[in-house]
Protein backbone atom coordinates (compact mmCIF):
# COMPACT_ATOMS: atom_id res chain seq x y z
CA UNK A 1 0.00 0.00 0.00
CA UNK A 2 1.43 3.35 -0.94
CA UNK A 3 -1.24 6.01 -0.97
CA UNK A 4 -4.00 6.33 1.58
CA UNK A 5 -6.54 8.95 2.59
CA UNK A 6 -7.72 9.86 6.05
CA UNK A 7 -11.08 11.54 6.79
CA UNK A 8 -12.45 12.55 10.13
CA UNK A 9 -15.69 14.04 11.35
CA UNK A 10 -16.11 14.86 15.01
CA UNK A 11 -19.26 14.85 17.09
CA UNK A 12 -18.81 18.40 18.25
CA UNK A 13 -19.47 20.30 15.09
CA UNK A 14 -21.30 19.87 11.86
CA UNK A 15 -18.40 20.42 9.56
CA UNK A 16 -16.12 18.98 6.93
CA UNK A 17 -18.50 16.26 5.81
CA UNK A 18 -16.86 12.97 4.92
CA UNK A 19 -18.11 13.38 1.34
CA UNK A 20 -16.31 16.69 0.97
CA UNK A 21 -13.09 15.29 2.41
CA UNK A 22 -13.34 12.30 0.09
CA UNK A 23 -14.12 14.49 -2.90
CA UNK A 24 -11.09 16.67 -2.14
CA UNK A 25 -8.84 13.65 -1.59
CA UNK A 26 -9.65 12.15 -4.96
CA UNK A 27 -9.27 15.48 -6.66
CA UNK A 28 -5.82 15.94 -5.09
CA UNK A 29 -4.82 12.35 -5.87
CA UNK A 30 -5.63 12.97 -9.50
CA UNK A 31 -3.52 16.15 -9.51
CA UNK A 32 -0.56 14.32 -7.97
CA UNK A 33 -0.97 11.26 -10.24
CA UNK A 34 -1.69 9.01 -7.28
CA UNK A 35 -4.24 6.33 -6.65
CA UNK A 36 -5.98 6.15 -3.29
CA UNK A 37 -5.55 2.51 -2.25
CA UNK A 38 -7.23 2.66 1.12
CA UNK A 39 -9.41 5.07 3.03
CA UNK A 40 -9.35 5.51 6.80
CA UNK A 41 -12.53 7.05 8.13
CA UNK A 42 -13.20 8.22 11.66
CA UNK A 43 -16.80 9.26 11.59
CA UNK A 44 -18.08 9.94 15.07
CA UNK A 45 -21.56 10.74 13.80
CA UNK A 46 -22.03 7.65 11.67
CA UNK A 47 -24.41 5.09 13.20
CA UNK A 48 -22.16 2.17 12.36
CA UNK A 49 -19.53 3.51 14.67
CA UNK A 50 -19.63 1.89 18.10
CA UNK A 51 -16.18 2.52 19.44
CA UNK A 52 -15.75 5.20 22.08
CA UNK A 53 -12.45 6.22 20.57
CA UNK A 54 -13.30 8.80 18.03
CA UNK A 55 -9.99 8.32 16.29
CA UNK A 56 -9.63 4.58 16.04
CA UNK A 57 -8.78 4.59 12.35
CA UNK A 58 -6.11 7.17 12.89
CA UNK A 59 -4.39 4.79 15.33
CA UNK A 60 -4.55 2.02 12.73
CA UNK A 61 -3.10 4.40 10.19
CA UNK A 62 -0.19 5.24 12.50
CA UNK A 63 0.51 1.54 13.05
CA UNK A 64 0.79 1.08 9.30
CA UNK A 65 3.07 4.08 9.02
CA UNK A 66 5.32 2.59 11.69
CA UNK A 67 5.37 -0.65 9.71
CA UNK A 68 6.67 1.45 6.80
CA UNK A 69 3.69 0.57 4.68
CA UNK A 70 2.62 4.08 3.69
CA UNK A 71 4.27 6.61 1.42
CA UNK A 72 1.61 9.22 0.74
CA UNK A 73 -1.17 10.45 3.00
CA UNK A 74 -4.01 12.59 1.74
CA UNK A 75 -5.81 14.57 4.40
CA UNK A 76 -8.11 17.57 4.25
CA UNK A 77 -6.45 19.88 6.78
CA UNK A 78 -4.09 19.82 9.75
CA UNK A 79 -7.00 20.00 12.18
CA UNK A 80 -8.17 16.54 11.00
CA UNK A 81 -4.97 15.02 12.44
CA UNK A 82 -4.57 16.67 15.80
CA UNK A 83 -6.85 18.69 17.99
CA UNK A 84 -4.14 21.01 19.25
CA UNK A 85 -0.56 22.05 18.66
CA UNK A 86 1.01 19.31 20.78
CA UNK A 87 -0.96 16.48 19.22
CA UNK A 88 -0.25 17.89 15.84
CA UNK A 89 3.48 18.06 16.50
CA UNK A 90 3.51 14.45 17.65
CA UNK A 91 1.95 13.42 14.36
CA UNK A 92 4.36 15.59 12.44
CA UNK A 93 7.34 13.84 14.04
CA UNK A 94 5.99 10.42 13.14
CA UNK A 95 5.43 11.47 9.54
CA UNK A 96 8.91 12.91 9.37
CA UNK A 97 10.54 9.85 10.89
CA UNK A 98 8.88 7.48 8.43
CA UNK A 99 9.17 9.92 5.56
CA UNK A 100 5.46 10.05 4.77
CA UNK A 101 4.49 12.62 2.21
CA UNK A 102 1.46 14.46 3.59
CA UNK A 103 -0.75 16.13 1.01
CA UNK A 104 -3.35 18.56 2.31
CA UNK A 105 -6.37 18.66 0.09
CA UNK A 106 -8.06 21.85 1.33
CA UNK A 107 -7.39 24.76 -0.98
CA UNK A 108 -5.84 27.14 1.50
CA UNK A 109 -3.86 24.74 3.66
CA UNK A 110 -0.13 25.40 3.63
CA UNK A 111 2.05 22.38 2.73
CA UNK A 112 3.97 20.33 5.30
CA UNK A 113 7.72 20.08 4.91
CA UNK A 114 10.57 18.35 6.69
CA UNK A 115 13.27 20.97 6.25
CA UNK A 116 15.34 22.13 9.21
CA UNK A 117 12.81 24.85 9.92
CA UNK A 118 9.86 22.58 9.22
CA UNK A 119 9.07 21.84 12.84
CA UNK A 120 9.07 25.44 13.95
CA UNK A 121 6.93 26.20 10.97
CA UNK A 122 4.43 23.53 11.97
CA UNK A 123 4.25 24.97 15.48
CA UNK A 124 3.58 28.42 14.13
CA UNK A 125 0.91 27.22 11.78
CA UNK A 126 -0.70 25.17 14.52
CA UNK A 127 -0.75 28.16 16.83
CA UNK A 128 -2.00 30.47 14.17
CA UNK A 129 -4.92 28.22 13.39
CA UNK A 130 -5.89 28.20 17.03
CA UNK A 131 -5.36 31.91 17.42
CA UNK A 132 -7.02 33.39 14.50
CA UNK A 133 -10.31 31.52 14.53
CA UNK A 134 -10.10 31.36 10.80
CA UNK A 135 -11.44 27.86 10.89
CA UNK A 136 -15.00 28.79 11.63
CA UNK A 137 -15.36 30.72 8.44
CA UNK A 138 -13.64 27.99 6.49
CA UNK A 139 -15.93 25.38 7.96
CA UNK A 140 -19.08 27.19 7.02
CA UNK A 141 -17.70 27.63 3.55
CA UNK A 142 -16.74 23.96 3.32
CA UNK A 143 -20.20 22.89 4.47
CA UNK A 144 -21.90 25.08 1.90
CA UNK A 145 -19.58 23.76 -0.77
CA UNK A 146 -20.20 20.13 0.18
CA UNK A 147 -23.99 20.54 0.22
CA UNK A 148 -23.82 22.33 -3.07
CA UNK A 149 -21.62 19.70 -4.69
CA UNK A 150 -23.61 16.78 -3.37
CA UNK A 151 -26.79 18.20 -4.88
CA UNK A 152 -28.40 18.88 -1.53
CA UNK A 153 -28.43 22.63 -1.72
CA UNK A 154 -28.56 24.48 -5.04
CA UNK A 155 -29.05 27.88 -3.35
CA UNK A 156 -31.81 30.33 -4.27
CA UNK A 157 -33.53 29.16 -7.41
CA UNK A 158 -35.01 31.41 -10.09
CA UNK A 159 -38.52 31.50 -11.59
CA UNK A 160 -39.88 28.01 -12.31
CA UNK A 161 -38.56 26.15 -9.29
CA UNK A 162 -39.46 25.84 -5.64
CA UNK A 163 -37.85 24.16 -2.66
CA UNK A 164 -39.79 22.07 -0.21
CA UNK A 165 -38.40 23.55 2.99
CA UNK A 166 -40.39 21.20 5.24
CA UNK A 167 -38.55 18.28 3.69
CA UNK A 168 -35.20 17.69 5.41
CA UNK A 169 -33.63 16.86 2.05
CA UNK A 170 -35.07 20.10 0.72
CA UNK A 171 -36.29 18.53 -2.48
CA UNK A 172 -36.46 20.67 -5.59
CA UNK A 173 -39.94 21.15 -7.04
CA UNK A 174 -40.34 22.00 -10.72
CA UNK A 175 -43.22 24.32 -11.59
CA UNK A 176 -43.83 22.87 -15.04
CA UNK A 177 -46.24 25.61 -16.16
CA UNK A 178 -43.72 28.31 -15.39
CA UNK A 179 -40.89 26.32 -16.93
CA UNK A 180 -42.75 25.88 -20.20
CA UNK A 181 -43.12 29.65 -20.32
CA UNK A 182 -39.37 30.05 -19.91
CA UNK A 183 -38.77 27.42 -22.57
CA UNK A 184 -40.99 29.38 -24.90
CA UNK A 185 -38.89 32.48 -24.29
CA UNK A 186 -35.75 30.61 -25.35
CA UNK A 187 -37.51 29.41 -28.51
CA UNK A 188 -38.71 32.92 -29.35
CA UNK A 189 -35.18 34.30 -29.11
CA UNK A 190 -33.86 31.42 -31.22
CA UNK A 191 -36.48 32.31 -33.86
CA UNK A 192 -35.00 35.79 -34.00
CA UNK A 193 -37.31 37.76 -31.72
CA UNK A 194 -35.80 40.58 -29.67
CA UNK A 195 -36.14 40.61 -25.89
CA UNK A 196 -38.66 43.46 -26.20
CA UNK A 197 -40.80 41.38 -28.58
CA UNK A 198 -40.55 38.40 -26.25
CA UNK A 199 -41.71 40.65 -23.42
CA UNK A 200 -44.85 41.68 -25.30
CA UNK A 201 -45.74 38.08 -26.09
CA UNK A 202 -45.14 36.83 -22.55
CA UNK A 203 -47.07 39.72 -21.05
CA UNK A 204 -50.14 38.75 -23.01
CA UNK A 205 -49.88 35.13 -21.90
CA UNK A 206 -49.02 35.47 -18.25
CA UNK A 207 -50.10 38.18 -15.88
CA UNK A 208 -48.60 36.69 -12.72
CA UNK A 209 -45.74 39.13 -12.71
CA UNK A 210 -44.60 42.41 -14.17
CA UNK A 211 -42.42 41.23 -17.04
CA UNK A 212 -39.69 43.72 -17.88
CA UNK A 213 -37.00 43.41 -20.55
CA UNK A 214 -34.29 43.51 -17.90
CA UNK A 215 -35.94 40.73 -15.96
CA UNK A 216 -36.34 38.55 -19.05
CA UNK A 217 -32.70 39.09 -20.01
CA UNK A 218 -31.66 38.05 -16.54
CA UNK A 219 -33.75 34.87 -16.69
CA UNK A 220 -32.55 33.88 -20.16
CA UNK A 221 -28.92 34.31 -19.13
CA UNK A 222 -29.32 32.31 -15.93
CA UNK A 223 -27.35 29.05 -16.30
CA UNK A 224 -29.82 27.27 -14.00
CA UNK A 225 -32.04 26.59 -17.02
CA UNK A 226 -29.35 24.44 -18.61
CA UNK A 227 -28.89 22.64 -15.30
CA UNK A 228 -25.81 24.46 -14.03
CA UNK A 229 -25.71 26.19 -10.67
CA UNK A 230 -22.99 28.62 -9.60
CA UNK A 231 -22.09 29.13 -5.96
CA UNK A 232 -20.47 32.46 -5.11
CA UNK A 233 -18.10 33.16 -2.24
CA UNK A 234 -16.94 36.46 -0.88
CA UNK A 235 -13.25 35.68 -0.86
CA UNK A 236 -12.64 32.92 -3.38
CA UNK A 237 -13.65 32.14 -6.96
CA UNK A 238 -17.16 30.75 -7.56
CA UNK A 239 -17.74 27.03 -8.10
CA UNK A 240 -20.21 25.39 -10.48
CA UNK A 241 -22.13 22.17 -10.21
CA UNK A 242 -24.50 20.33 -12.52
CA UNK A 243 -28.09 19.88 -11.29
CA UNK A 244 -29.72 17.71 -13.95
CA UNK A 245 -33.15 18.02 -12.36
CA UNK A 246 -33.19 21.75 -13.14
CA UNK A 247 -32.35 21.47 -16.82
CA UNK A 248 -34.91 22.64 -19.41
CA UNK A 249 -32.71 23.62 -22.38
CA UNK A 250 -29.49 22.13 -23.71
CA UNK A 251 -26.13 23.85 -23.41
CA UNK A 252 -25.95 24.88 -27.04
CA UNK A 253 -29.40 26.53 -27.00
CA UNK A 254 -28.55 28.35 -23.82
CA UNK A 255 -25.27 29.67 -25.18
CA UNK A 256 -26.83 30.81 -28.46
CA UNK A 257 -29.58 32.65 -26.61
CA UNK A 258 -27.05 34.17 -24.23
CA UNK A 259 -25.13 35.66 -27.15
CA UNK A 260 -28.28 36.95 -28.86
CA UNK A 261 -29.45 38.63 -25.66
CA UNK A 262 -26.02 40.18 -25.19
CA UNK A 263 -25.94 41.52 -28.77
CA UNK A 264 -29.39 43.01 -28.40
CA UNK A 265 -28.61 44.84 -25.18
CA UNK A 266 -29.37 48.57 -25.49
CA UNK A 267 -26.23 50.69 -25.82
CA UNK A 268 -27.05 52.81 -22.78
CA UNK A 269 -26.99 49.76 -20.55
CA UNK A 270 -23.61 48.75 -21.86
CA UNK A 271 -22.15 52.07 -20.91
CA UNK A 272 -23.85 51.99 -17.55
CA UNK A 273 -22.30 48.64 -16.79
CA UNK A 274 -18.78 49.88 -17.47
CA UNK A 275 -16.83 50.69 -14.37
CA UNK A 276 -16.05 54.27 -13.50
CA UNK A 277 -12.40 55.01 -14.00
CA UNK A 278 -11.78 57.52 -11.29
CA UNK A 279 -8.50 58.33 -9.67
CA UNK A 280 -9.05 57.77 -5.98
CA UNK A 281 -6.06 59.65 -4.63
CA UNK A 282 -6.91 58.79 -1.03
CA UNK A 283 -7.12 55.02 -1.55
CA UNK A 284 -5.00 53.42 1.12
CA UNK A 285 -5.24 56.35 3.52
CA UNK A 286 -8.83 56.37 4.70
CA UNK A 287 -9.93 54.08 7.50
CA UNK A 288 -13.27 53.39 9.09
CA UNK A 289 -12.54 53.66 12.81
CA UNK A 290 -15.65 51.73 13.81
CA UNK A 291 -14.83 48.68 11.69
CA UNK A 292 -11.03 48.99 11.45
CA UNK A 293 -11.48 48.58 7.72
CA UNK A 294 -10.32 50.75 4.84
CA UNK A 295 -12.65 53.01 2.91
CA UNK A 296 -12.20 51.98 -0.70
CA UNK A 297 -12.93 53.92 -3.85
CA UNK A 298 -16.06 52.56 -5.53
CA UNK A 299 -16.24 51.57 -9.19
CA UNK A 300 -19.90 52.36 -9.64
CA UNK A 301 -20.26 55.69 -7.83
CA UNK A 302 -17.88 58.51 -6.99
CA UNK A 303 -17.64 57.55 -3.33
CA UNK A 304 -15.29 56.04 -0.78
CA UNK A 305 -16.98 53.17 0.92
CA UNK A 306 -16.45 50.92 3.96
CA UNK A 307 -17.46 47.48 2.79
CA UNK A 308 -18.29 46.35 6.31
CA UNK A 309 -20.67 48.95 7.70
CA UNK A 310 -21.50 50.31 4.23
CA UNK A 311 -20.77 53.89 5.28
CA UNK A 312 -19.87 56.05 2.33
CA UNK A 313 -18.29 59.43 1.75
CA UNK A 314 -18.59 61.56 -1.35
CA UNK A 315 -15.29 61.43 -3.25
CA UNK A 316 -15.03 65.10 -4.14
CA UNK A 317 -16.06 66.22 -0.70
CA UNK A 318 -13.51 64.05 1.10
CA UNK A 319 -10.63 64.75 -1.26
CA UNK A 320 -11.25 68.48 -1.20
CA UNK A 321 -11.42 68.47 2.58
CA UNK A 322 -8.21 66.49 3.00
CA UNK A 323 -6.24 68.34 0.34
CA UNK A 324 -7.30 71.73 1.65
CA UNK A 325 -6.18 70.76 5.08
CA UNK A 326 -2.91 69.29 3.85
CA UNK A 327 -2.21 72.44 1.86
CA UNK A 328 -2.75 74.64 4.88
CA UNK A 329 -0.59 72.38 6.94
CA UNK A 330 2.31 72.39 4.50
CA UNK A 331 2.08 76.14 4.05
CA UNK A 332 2.28 76.62 7.78
CA UNK A 333 5.29 74.34 7.93
CA UNK A 334 7.10 76.18 5.18
CA UNK A 335 6.59 79.47 6.99
CA UNK A 336 8.05 78.11 10.17
CA UNK A 337 11.57 76.97 10.60
CA UNK A 338 10.58 73.52 9.57
CA UNK A 339 13.84 72.24 8.11
CA UNK A 340 15.50 72.54 11.47
CA UNK A 341 12.53 70.94 13.06
CA UNK A 342 12.69 68.02 10.70
CA UNK A 343 16.35 67.46 11.28
CA UNK A 344 15.99 67.57 15.01
CA UNK A 345 13.09 65.19 14.74
CA UNK A 346 15.11 62.82 12.64
CA UNK A 347 18.10 62.58 14.92
CA UNK A 348 16.11 62.27 18.10
CA UNK A 349 13.66 59.78 16.74
CA UNK A 350 16.23 57.59 15.12
CA UNK A 351 18.17 57.29 18.33
CA UNK A 352 15.08 56.44 20.34
CA UNK A 353 13.93 53.92 17.79
CA UNK A 354 17.28 52.18 17.53
CA UNK A 355 17.47 51.75 21.27
CA UNK A 356 13.98 50.35 21.30
CA UNK A 357 14.82 47.98 18.49
CA UNK A 358 17.81 46.52 20.31
CA UNK A 359 15.70 45.79 23.41
CA UNK A 360 12.95 44.25 21.35
CA UNK A 361 15.30 41.95 19.48
CA UNK A 362 16.76 40.62 22.70
CA UNK A 363 13.30 40.04 24.12
CA UNK A 364 12.17 38.22 20.98
CA UNK A 365 15.18 35.91 21.14
CA UNK A 366 14.46 34.86 24.70
CA UNK A 367 10.78 34.38 23.89
CA UNK A 368 11.74 32.09 21.04
CA UNK A 369 13.91 30.06 23.40
CA UNK A 370 11.10 29.84 25.95
CA UNK A 371 8.76 28.63 23.27
CA UNK A 372 11.11 25.87 22.19
CA UNK A 373 11.76 24.74 25.76
CA UNK A 374 8.09 24.72 26.48
CA UNK A 375 7.31 22.60 23.48
CA UNK A 376 10.00 19.99 23.96
CA UNK A 377 9.13 19.80 27.65
CA UNK A 378 5.49 19.13 26.81
CA UNK A 379 6.30 16.50 24.28
CA UNK A 380 8.53 14.68 26.73
CA UNK A 381 5.86 14.82 29.42
CA UNK A 382 3.90 12.49 27.20
CA UNK A 383 0.96 14.82 26.98
CA UNK A 384 -0.70 13.91 30.24
CA UNK A 385 -1.95 17.42 30.87
CA UNK A 386 -2.09 18.59 27.32
CA UNK A 387 -5.19 20.71 27.52
CA UNK A 388 -3.66 23.32 29.78
CA UNK A 389 -0.16 23.20 28.42
CA UNK A 390 -0.84 23.84 24.80
CA UNK A 391 -2.55 27.06 25.81
CA UNK A 392 0.69 28.10 27.44
CA UNK A 393 2.48 27.54 24.16
CA UNK A 394 -0.09 29.53 22.25
CA UNK A 395 0.32 32.31 24.80
CA UNK A 396 4.09 32.52 24.37
CA UNK A 397 3.71 32.31 20.62
CA UNK A 398 1.35 35.28 20.79
CA UNK A 399 3.93 37.29 22.73
CA UNK A 400 6.64 36.41 20.28
CA UNK A 401 4.51 37.35 17.33
CA UNK A 402 3.71 40.73 18.85
CA UNK A 403 7.37 41.41 19.38
CA UNK A 404 8.14 40.49 15.80
CA UNK A 405 5.46 42.84 14.55
CA UNK A 406 6.92 45.66 16.64
CA UNK A 407 10.40 44.95 15.31
CA UNK A 408 9.11 45.08 11.77
CA UNK A 409 7.27 48.33 12.45
CA UNK A 410 10.23 50.04 14.06
CA UNK A 411 12.59 48.91 11.31
CA UNK A 412 10.34 50.49 8.72
CA UNK A 413 10.08 53.68 10.79
CA UNK A 414 13.85 53.95 10.95
CA UNK A 415 14.04 53.44 7.23
CA UNK A 416 11.52 56.17 6.56
CA UNK A 417 13.40 58.51 8.89
CA UNK A 418 16.53 57.95 6.86
CA UNK A 419 14.61 58.99 3.79
CA UNK A 420 13.37 62.11 5.48
CA UNK A 421 15.97 64.71 4.37
CA UNK A 422 15.34 63.85 0.74
CA UNK A 423 11.62 64.09 1.26
CA UNK A 424 11.86 67.42 2.99
CA UNK A 425 13.68 68.83 -0.01
CA UNK A 426 11.13 67.52 -2.43
CA UNK A 427 8.21 68.77 -0.37
CA UNK A 428 9.74 72.20 -0.17
CA UNK A 429 10.39 72.31 -3.87
CA UNK A 430 6.90 71.16 -4.50
CA UNK A 431 5.42 73.82 -2.28
CA UNK A 432 7.13 76.56 -4.22
CA UNK A 433 5.22 75.49 -7.30
CA UNK A 434 1.84 75.29 -5.66
CA UNK A 435 -0.37 78.21 -5.04
CA UNK A 436 -3.85 76.90 -4.64
CA UNK A 437 -5.89 73.80 -4.15
CA UNK A 438 -6.47 73.18 -7.82
CA UNK A 439 -2.71 73.00 -8.37
CA UNK A 440 -2.44 70.45 -5.62
CA UNK A 441 -5.15 68.31 -7.18
CA UNK A 442 -3.59 68.60 -10.62
CA UNK A 443 -0.12 67.68 -9.47
CA UNK A 444 0.89 64.16 -8.65
CA UNK A 445 -0.96 64.53 -5.41
CA UNK A 446 -0.71 60.96 -4.32
CA UNK A 447 3.09 61.05 -3.97
CA UNK A 448 2.91 64.15 -1.84
CA UNK A 449 0.08 62.75 0.23
CA UNK A 450 2.17 59.71 0.98
CA UNK A 451 4.88 61.95 2.31
CA UNK A 452 2.64 64.05 4.47
CA UNK A 453 -0.46 62.19 5.52
CA UNK A 454 -0.36 59.11 7.64
CA UNK A 455 -4.02 58.20 7.78
CA UNK A 456 -7.46 59.69 7.55
CA UNK A 457 -9.60 58.17 10.26
CA UNK A 458 -13.30 58.45 9.66
CA UNK A 459 -15.23 58.34 12.89
CA UNK A 460 -18.92 58.54 13.58
CA UNK A 461 -19.12 62.33 13.61
CA UNK A 462 -15.78 63.67 12.49
CA UNK A 463 -12.79 63.04 10.28
CA UNK A 464 -9.41 62.80 11.93
CA UNK A 465 -6.45 63.68 9.74
CA UNK A 466 -3.14 62.30 11.00
CA UNK A 467 0.07 63.79 9.62
CA UNK A 468 3.41 62.04 9.52
CA UNK A 469 5.67 64.90 10.52
CA UNK A 470 7.17 66.43 12.37
CA UNK A 471 6.10 65.22 15.78
CA UNK A 472 4.10 62.07 15.35
CA UNK A 473 7.17 59.85 14.94
CA UNK A 474 8.69 60.95 18.23
CA UNK A 475 5.48 60.42 20.09
CA UNK A 476 5.14 56.91 18.77
CA UNK A 477 8.69 56.00 19.60
CA UNK A 478 8.11 56.87 23.21
CA UNK A 479 4.79 55.18 23.43
CA UNK A 480 6.12 51.82 22.42
CA UNK A 481 6.62 50.00 25.64
CA UNK A 482 8.45 46.70 25.89
CA UNK A 483 6.80 44.37 28.32
ZN1 LIG B 1 -17.18 50.72 8.63
Amino acid sequence: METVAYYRRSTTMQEHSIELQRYKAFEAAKNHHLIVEKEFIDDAISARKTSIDEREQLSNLIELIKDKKIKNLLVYKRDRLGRNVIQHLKMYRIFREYNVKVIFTADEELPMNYSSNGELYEIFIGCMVQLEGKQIHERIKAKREADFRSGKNPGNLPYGYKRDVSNPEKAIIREEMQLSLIKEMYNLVLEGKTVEQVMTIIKSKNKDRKWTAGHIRELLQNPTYMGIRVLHFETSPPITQEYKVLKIVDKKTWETVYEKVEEGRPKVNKRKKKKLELDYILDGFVNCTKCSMPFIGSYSKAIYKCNKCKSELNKDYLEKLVLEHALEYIKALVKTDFIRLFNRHQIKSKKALEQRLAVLKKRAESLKEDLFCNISEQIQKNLTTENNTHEKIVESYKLLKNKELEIEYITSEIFSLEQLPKKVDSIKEYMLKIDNLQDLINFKSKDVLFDIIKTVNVEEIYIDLVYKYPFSGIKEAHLLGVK
Side-chain angles (χ1 to χ4, degrees), residues 286-304:
V286 195
N287 287 304
C288 176
T289 311
K290 194 170 74 186
C291 310
S292 304
M293 292 273 284
F295 270 82
I296 295 163
S298 160
Y299 283 109
S300 54
K301 268 199 278 180
I303 51 163
Y304 287 90

Side-chain angles (χ1 to χ4, degrees), residues 155-172:
N156 293 328
L157 293 169
Y159 186 75
Y161 312 99
K162 250 177 37 187
R163 303 263 302 282
D164 183 0
V165 188
S166 65
N167 183 329
E169 287 294 301
K170 293 191 178 170
I172 295 161

Side-chain angles (χ1 to χ4, degrees), residues 349-379:
S349 294
K350 207 178 156 195
K351 221 171 157 187
L353 287 171
E354 276 168 352
Q355 281 171 358
R356 200 54 82 191
L357 191 62
V359 178
L360 273 170
K361 278 184 174 166
K362 242 187 220 164
R363 187 77 189 106
E365 271 312 307
S366 80
L367 279 169
K368 218 180 259 175
E369 264 166 42
D370 284 358
L371 187 60
F372 270 120
C373 288
N374 233 325
I375 287 160
S376 51
E377 197 181 298
Q378 291 323 315
I379 290 162

Side-chain angles (χ1 to χ4, degrees), residues 353-413:
L353 287 171
E354 276 168 352
Q355 281 171 358
R356 200 54 82 191
L357 191 62
V359 178
L360 273 170
K361 278 184 174 166
K362 242 187 220 164
R363 187 77 189 106
E365 271 312 307
S366 80
L367 279 169
K368 218 180 259 175
E369 264 166 42
D370 284 358
L371 187 60
F372 270 120
C373 288
N374 233 325
I375 287 160
S376 51
E377 197 181 298
Q378 291 323 315
I379 290 162
Q380 271 148 31
K381 263 192 198 163
N382 217 7
L383 317 170
T384 41
T385 51
E386 61 181 62
N387 281 336
N388 295 324
T389 50
H390 87 264
E391 271 166 31
K392 231 170 96 188
I393 291 174
V394 170
E395 209 40 58
S396 43
Y397 169 72
K398 239 193 226 174
L399 280 173
L400 176 61
K401 202 177 173 194
N402 280 340
K403 289 288 160 285
E404 282 176 344
L405 282 174
E406 278 179 42
I407 289 171
E408 201 180 295
Y409 173 71
I410 291 180
T411 310
S412 74
E413 283 287 292

Side-chain angles (χ1 to χ4, degrees), residues 6-22 40-49 51-58 75-76 79-81 83 139 143 146-147 152:
Y6 175 70
Y7 321 128
R8 181 171 74 87
R9 179 165 63 162
S10 64
T11 44
T12 44
M13 228 188 276
Q14 260 234 309
E15 29 106 82
H16 299 312
S17 76
I18 299 291
E19 302 106 89
L20 173 74
Q21 294 179 48
R22 175 179 280 134
F40 294 85
I41 307 168
D42 277 326
D43 190 351
I45 299 170
S46 156
R48 284 178 299 139
K49 190 105 178 61
S51 164
I52 309 159
D53 183 5
E54 209 186 298
R55 294 143 57 84
E56 186 187 20
Q57 288 296 314
L58 187 64
V75 62
Y76 187 64
D79 67 356
R80 300 298 85 197
L81 296 169
R83 279 171 293 199
R139 280 180 184 145
K143 166 107 171 71
D147 285 352
K152 264 193 219 153

